[in-house]
């Protein structure tokens, strides 16, 4: 699959745990023979933490070259350290793909009840983090390179109780479009991916909190969620990985500045 990706390098942020979308993307790209850099907050990169497991799994299953990298997207110094690491690793070759996947969703509250600190923290990871990464990594990109930013269905449709998250993801969509029009003439593409409901820690804590609010068992909330999706299944991390692999392949060479929904048909729009 996508033979042209073999040997090329990709960095994926927020990819240090096996249950997350970042790892799902990494698994598909490792299968394509890419050199993978998994980056995540330093705590998850400590010895014996889940980052080590992720790297080992990809090496064993796909024989991939995999590196684990500490990265906090809220800290400019950390982002610059990561860029310096990538420069050494690629030894002057361009970075083929930068996948800005790191993101958080804090607990639900109405706008009046949302602490200002929750708003600021969400913006700092989800939106400012993507901006820091794009501006710092652009010198490592060249004609043919691709940026994928992880937005959300919530960035297109308001999710009641999650205003910081929805607004941050709407910002990611527009930031991606701004980048595409600024850098298209240099041959760098940028697209946003909008997952719907993908089973990860982030999504399952959302189901758990909604089940508590509705006073129903977690399993019942899960079943409601499944039935709300036209394809009648909750998405997997591989569903997102397969879309990302296509978007960074030659098959997508005329696609830039777009958003791609991966949601089982839940978001159907003109
Ligand atoms: P997750 O919570 O399982 O994984 C997020 C990862 O981001 C974690 O490994 C975490 O350590 C990392 N991270 C958090 N703060 C960071 C920071 N400051 N610097 C670097 N890494 C940081 O979440 P999931 O579900 O895998 O989400 C991945 C992306 O997909 C996020 O941007 C999320 O908003 C987005 N998304 C997820 C959906 C879902 O249904 N799971 C739906 C729509 C969007």
């Amino acid at each position: 699959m996508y033979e042209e990706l073999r040997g090329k390098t990709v960095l994926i942020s927020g990819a240090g745990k096996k249950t997350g979308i970042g790892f799902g993307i990494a698994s598909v790209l490792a299968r394509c023979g890419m050199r993978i850099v998994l980056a995540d907050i330093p705590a998850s990169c400590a010895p014996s933490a889940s980052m080590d497991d992720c790297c080992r799994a990809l090496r064993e299953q796909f024989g991939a070259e995999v590196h684990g990298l500490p990265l906090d997207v809220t800290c400019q110094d950390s982002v610059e350290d990561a860029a310096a690491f990538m420069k050494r690793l690629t030894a002057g070759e361009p970075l083929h793909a930068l996948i800005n996947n790191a993101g958080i969703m804090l607990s639900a509250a109405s706008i009046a009840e949302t602490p200002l600190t929750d708003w600021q923290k969400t913006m700092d990871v989800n939106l400012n983090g993507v901006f820091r990464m794009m501006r710092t990594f652009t010198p490592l990109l060249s004609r043919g390179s691709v940026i994928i930013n992880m937005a959300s269905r919530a960035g297109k449709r308001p999710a009641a109780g999650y205003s910081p998250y929805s607004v941050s993801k709407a910002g990611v969509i527009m930031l991606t479009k701004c980048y595409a029009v600024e850098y298209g003439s240099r041959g760098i593409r940028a697209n946003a991916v909008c997952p719907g409901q993908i089973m990860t820690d982030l999504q399952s804590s959302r189901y758990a909190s909604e089940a508590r609010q509705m006073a129903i068992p977690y399993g019942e909330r899960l079943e409601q969620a499944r039935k709300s999706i036209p394809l009648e299944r909750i998405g997997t991390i591989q569903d997102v990985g397969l879309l990302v692999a296509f978007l960074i392949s030659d098959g997508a060479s005329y696609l830039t500045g777009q958003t791609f929904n991966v949601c089982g048909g839940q978001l159907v729009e003109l």
Side-chain angles (χ1 to χ4, degrees):
M1 193 171 55
Y2 307 125
E3 205 38 47
E4 70 275 19
L5 296 178
R6 185 163 296 283
K8 291 186 175 165
T9 306
V10 56
L11 181 143
I12 309 164
S13 72
K17 61 176 168 180
K18 274 187 173 166
T19 52
I21 288 176
F23 184 73
I25 296 168
S27 313
V28 177
L29 300 184
R31 201 180 340 138
C32 296
M34 291 191 83
R35 174 160 64 175
I36 312 276
V37 179
L38 304 176
D40 212 313
I41 38 180
S44 68
C45 295
S48 85
S50 62
M51 174 63 86
D52 287 349
D53 277 358
C54 291
C55 294
R56 198 175 317 113
L58 296 180
R59 285 184 198 120
E60 284 173 4
Q61 203 178 344
F62 304 105
E65 179 182 335
V66 189
H67 303 265
L69 181 65
L71 167 70
D72 179 351
V73 300
T74 67
C75 169
Q76 182 62 31
D77 285 350
S78 172
V79 172
E80 281 172 18
D81 288 350
F85 171 88
M86 293 306 294
K87 223 177 209 164
R88 288 194 298 276
L89 183 72
T90 52
E93 289 293 307
L95 173 62
H96 179 67
L98 171 67
I99 318 286
N100 291 310
N101 167 73
I104 56 169
M105 182 169 65
L106 302 178
S107 16
S110 66
I111 290 178
E113 285 164 349
T114 296
L116 191 57
T117 48
D118 279 13
W119 173 273
Q120 287 163 334
K121 188 164 184 213
T122 305
M123 290 299 158
D124 208 26
V125 177
N126 292 5
L127 180 56
N128 302 345
V130 174
F131 180 72
R132 279 185 200 96
M133 291 293 286
M134 290 174 99
R135 65 187 291 278
T136 309
F137 275 78
T138 290
L140 279 76
L141 308 177
S142 70
R143 191 159 288 279
S145 298
V146 194
I147 294 179
I148 303 292
N149 292 331
M150 208 50 65
S152 172
R153 183 174 67 106
K156 292 181 162 185
R157 291 283 161 87
Y162 294 95
S163 59
Y165 185 78
S166 291
V167 173
S168 70
K169 294 299 188 178
V172 167
I173 292 171
M174 184 49 79
L175 179 57
T176 309
K177 292 178 186 294
C178 291
Y179 193 96
V181 296
E182 285 184 18
Y183 289 90
S185 62
R186 297 197 205 172
I188 306 174
R189 298 187 294 112
N191 288 298
V193 166
C194 293
Q197 303 184 54
I198 307 295
M199 190 42 95
T200 65
D201 294 350
L202 180 145
Q203 191 61 48
S204 70
S205 34
R206 180 177 179 175
Y207 293 142
S209 111
E210 288 167 352
R212 277 193 300 276
Q213 272 169 22
M214 296 177 194
I216 57 171
Y218 176 82
E220 197 176 324
R221 175 65 197 107
L222 212 57
E223 192 53 14
Q224 286 177 351
R226 189 181 70 75
K227 285 191 180 142
S228 71
I229 300 168
L231 288 181
E232 294 192 339
R233 74 171 173 86
I234 292 171
T236 67
I237 57 175
Q238 284 76 22
D239 289 325
V240 185
L242 288 165
L243 172 61
V244 170
F246 166 66
L247 289 175
I248 69 168
S249 77
D250 288 353
S253 62
Y254 199 50
L255 302 180
T256 196
Q258 307 302 311
T259 55
F260 296 88
N261 305 328
V262 49
C263 63
Q266 203 177 19
L267 184 56
V268 181
E269 46 192 4
L270 281 178

